[in-house]
Amino acid sequence: SCPQPGPAALTAGAGRSRGRGSARVYADAEDGYNFWRTARRYYRSGLGRVRSAVRAWNGERCPLACVLQLGDLIDGLNAQRGASEPALRAVLGELAQLRAPVHHAWGNHDLYNFSREYLLRSELNSAPRGAPGPAAGADACYAYHFSPAAGFRFVMLDAYDLSVLGWDKFSQKYQHALKLLKEKNPNEDLNSPLGLDECQFVKFNGGFSQPQLDWFNEVLTASDKNREKVLVAGHLPIHPGSTNDVCLAWNYKDALSIIHSHQCVVCFLAGHLHDGGYCLDTHGVHHLTVEGIIETPPQSHAFGTIYVYEDKMILKGKGRIPDKVMYY
């Protein structure tokens, strides 16, 4: 018999480890390398990796409940070439073949290509209509929750709610984020972590506003009461054991503190770090950072399917993504 239907997690890129560079899931460009020239970036073949994932998920014996896309669907290189919209249409066209709903996180490269206002109007806004969120209007925070099956809830967090990316430069949100970033990072290049005590405070990262954290706490309080198991997803990792320090969310400790004050959270899924990572924290929460498509050779894969059971989740990975059993 089939287990309770589980999500399929597609990683759509990751953050750089140090220095400059651009690389996520897709750009119609020749292959390149990271800033240190230690890893090859497969820009054009990323579309084929997405197509392979879709084909595999559609062939699952148990129908998928949903698919998670963990951010950076297209590379920032597209913005430089004026090709953002064609690149987005190409990848979304592949995902449209799925027989399951797709839930999108937003990453830094999505915000290099588009403003938050554009993304809220686009297909990358996968929040169910009328879904309660932390804020509306000009300060809209892209965070929501949904239940794919009884007793199980997903929370999608906006890791760039507190950020200098995507916001209008004259907005209060931008000015507040810029002030915080400059207080933490005195470097002329705000993308450089050189000499920082908290090296996550770089421009290509972001964080969670207080209204979003308050909303997150309320959602988890309700899930505690309803005895739900909760899986949280966002582009940026929030535990140092699941990533290198430069790829953490700015105020990851605040998000982690809220999670640890509740009983319901079983897993946190993130993208951003190309090499992936994993840890089981001291409160029994699994932190899984999924490997990126952009550094996956054309002959390999970078996706996985999570099967949900009463006592555990089982990740069956393809290619670069290893299998993993995660007990509650």
Side-chain angles (χ1 to χ4, degrees):
S1 63
C2 291
Q4 179 177 322
L10 165 65
T11 177
R16 68 205 89 183
S17 57
R18 287 187 185 274
R20 304 179 195 278
S22 60
R24 312 309 124 178
V25 160
Y26 176 68
D28 187 10
E30 298 299 323
D31 294 348
Y33 290 88
N34 64 356
F35 178 76
W36 301 106
R37 301 192 66 81
T38 55
R40 190 168 183 173
R41 303 281 170 83
Y42 303 93
Y43 293 104
R44 190 171 285 130
S45 68
L47 206 59
R49 307 285 65 72
V50 174
R51 189 176 300 127
S52 296
V54 169
R55 188 183 305 120
W57 287 330
N58 282 342
E60 286 278 343
R61 183 169 62 90
C62 299
L64 297 182
C66 61
V67 170
L68 301 183
Q69 188 276 109
L70 297 173
D72 285 356
L73 195 59
I74 63 173
D75 191 88
L77 190 63
N78 292 290
Q80 300 170 30
R81 297 177 168 216
S84 299
E85 291 192 352
L88 181 61
R89 285 197 300 270
V91 185
L92 288 176
E94 297 295 337
L95 292 176
Q97 306 306 310
L98 277 163
R99 298 171 189 157
V102 184
H103 292 270
H104 298 282
W106 293 351
N108 49 311
H109 278 251
D110 302 311
L111 294 165
Y112 296 157
N113 282 282
F114 306 107
S115 68
R116 293 180 65 94
E117 184 181 4
Y118 179 99
L119 290 174
L120 284 169
R121 299 194 312 266
S122 76
E123 290 183 59
L124 288 183
N125 180 355
S126 51
R129 182 169 295 181
D139 289 342
C141 173
Y142 178 61
Y144 64 94
H145 60 90
F146 64 99
S147 176
F152 208 86
R153 184 162 303 279
F154 285 16
V155 180
M156 305 292 291
L157 292 183
D158 184 347
Y160 290 89
D161 178 25
L162 179 61
S163 170
V164 295
L165 302 179
W167 295 107
D168 184 285
K169 292 187 177 181
F170 296 101
S171 68
Q172 186 177 1
K173 297 273 283 195
Y174 177 89
Q175 294 298 328
H176 171 66
L178 183 63
K179 181 175 182 291
L180 173 63
L181 180 58
K182 287 187 172 182
E183 286 173 356
K184 297 287 188 176
N185 187 340
N187 293 324
E188 182 177 351
D189 178 4
L190 292 175
N191 272 326
S192 172
L194 186 65
L196 302 186
D197 293 329
E198 298 175 279
C199 60
Q200 76 269 24
F201 280 96
V202 286
K203 189 176 179 180
F204 57 81
N205 289 338
F208 313 102
S209 68
Q210 191 58 52
Q212 182 178 184
L213 291 171
D214 293 342
W215 168 85
F216 185 38
N217 185 58
E218 291 173 2
V219 172
L220 297 188
T221 298
S223 286
D224 279 343
K225 181 179 179 180
N226 295 327
R227 298 185 177 180
E228 294 176 322
K229 294 179 176 65
V230 176
L231 186 150
V232 186
H235 185 63
L236 297 177
I238 63 166
H239 196 288
S242 65
T243 182
N244 60 37
D245 290 348
V246 78
C247 286
L248 286 162
W250 285 354
N251 55 342
Y252 71 91
K253 293 179 182 177
D254 294 336
L256 206 52
S257 176
I258 290 173
I259 287 174
H260 290 166
S261 69
H262 295 276
Q263 301 298 314
C264 55
V265 179
V266 297
C267 183
F268 189 98
L269 279 174
H272 203 46
L273 179 68
H274 291 167
D275 294 332
Y278 168 80
C279 77
L280 176 64
D281 72 22
T282 55
H283 288 69
V285 179
H286 301 273
H287 294 265
L288 180 63
T289 304
V290 190
E291 288 79 355
I293 284 178
I294 198 67
E295 292 179 5
T296 301
Q299 66 273 19
S300 187
H301 301 282
F303 68 93
T305 306
I306 296 177
Y307 300 89
V308 178
Y309 297 86
E310 289 186 1
D311 62 335
K312 63 183 175 293
M313 296 184 295
I314 297 178
L315 168 64
K316 290 291 185 181
K318 294 288 186 180
R320 298 178 64 205
I321 297 180
D323 294 349
K324 191 171 297 294
V325 179
M326 295 173 283
Y327 287 94
Y328 305 139

